[in-house]
Amino acid sequence: MDNNNLEQITFGGGCFWCVESCFNMLKGVHSAVSGYSGGHKDHPTYEEVCTGETGHAEVVQITYDPAVISYEQLMDVFFFLHDPTQLNRQGNDIGTQYRSVIYYKDEAEKAKAEAAIEKSKESGRWQGTYVTEVTKFDKFWAAEQYHQGYYNENPTQPYCSAVVGPKIQKFKKHFGELGMLNEQ
């Protein structure tokens, strides 16, 4: 992978443990880092973000090679992994920190994000009104180290085995059949 041509995208689709784990399996993804964006406090902690009072969303910042995987393909994965019609929640995870959000860096990226939302709507995968925010990127704060690769380190933790694991298996089946996963 040519590190000089890497790009980044930051978005939130519920709990970052699942999102980060899945994106790290994709060909062309250099890294997927769990963290926080969209809030008003510098260097927030997980505990602070969980209160909902900092305004941050749990996000994943993906560094990728656009020669291997496109922005549009990343958006397809994003909309596969979460329900963009659930306001401030994903399943039993409730709070503004779990909101569906795409952070853009410039107007061209904003247009691509909006087009990805329309494409997902047209797919009919999710029924209901999309609530995904498209918001100007400001800052990204990496989550605490124990959140990075959390699922891989804790697959038998109750939340991971009940919620994250089944989602990852579904992801691996679908995107594996498309040839988009790294060799395991």
Side-chain angles (χ1 to χ4, degrees):
M1 211 178 295
D2 181 0
N3 289 345
N4 293 325
N5 295 319
L6 298 180
E7 294 184 18
Q8 286 188 322
I9 181 173
T10 305
F11 47 68
C15 175
F16 48 35
W17 293 343
C18 173
V19 177
E20 174 259 335
S21 181
C22 290
F23 277 94
N24 272 319
M25 294 181 207
L26 292 169
K27 291 179 184 175
V29 170
H30 179 72
S31 67
V33 178
S34 293
Y36 317 108
S37 286
H40 54 77
K41 182 183 189 309
D42 288 349
H43 307 285
T45 66
Y46 180 69
E47 290 74 20
E48 291 169 331
V49 171
C50 284
T51 68
E53 295 177 12
T54 67
H56 291 88
E58 285 193 14
V59 299
V60 175
Q61 186 166 76
I62 297 164
T63 303
Y64 68 99
D65 183 345
V68 178
I69 189 167
S70 69
Y71 181 96
E72 291 76 13
Q73 288 172 307
L74 293 170
M75 286 286 101
D76 286 344
V77 174
F78 173 67
F79 286 114
F80 181 89
L81 291 175
H82 84 292
D83 182 345
T85 69
Q86 292 188 356
L87 182 62
N88 297 328
R89 71 179 301 161
Q90 282 299 300
N92 291 327
D93 293 331
I94 300 170
T96 57
Q97 67 271 28
Y98 300 115
R99 67 188 177 269
S100 176
V101 59
I102 303 168
Y103 291 98
Y104 65 89
K105 294 186 177 66
D106 56 34
E107 290 302 311
E109 197 170 89
K110 180 181 180 183
K112 289 197 295 190
E114 291 169 342
I117 291 170
E118 290 308 311
K119 180 181 176 193
S120 181
K121 285 179 184 177
E122 291 168 6
S123 77
R125 177 171 176 76
W126 302 105
Q127 300 303 309
T129 303
Y130 276 55
V131 295
T132 303
E133 298 175 12
V134 178
T135 304
K136 179 82 170 143
F137 178 82
D138 183 26
K139 293 179 182 170
F140 170 80
W141 306 102
E144 295 82 353
Q145 187 57 41
Y146 72 92
H147 287 296
Q148 309 307 328
Y150 189 87
Y151 175 78
N152 292 339
E153 297 297 321
N154 303 280
T156 60
Q157 187 262 12
Y159 181 87
C160 287
S161 61
V163 177
V164 181
K167 196 180 269 195
I168 289 174
Q169 292 310 312
K170 189 175 171 183
F171 161 83
K172 288 169 83 173
K173 180 178 182 340
H174 180 77
F175 289 97
E177 289 172 358
L178 296 175
M180 292 178 63
L181 301 182
N182 288 315
E183 299 299 320
Q184 304 279 341

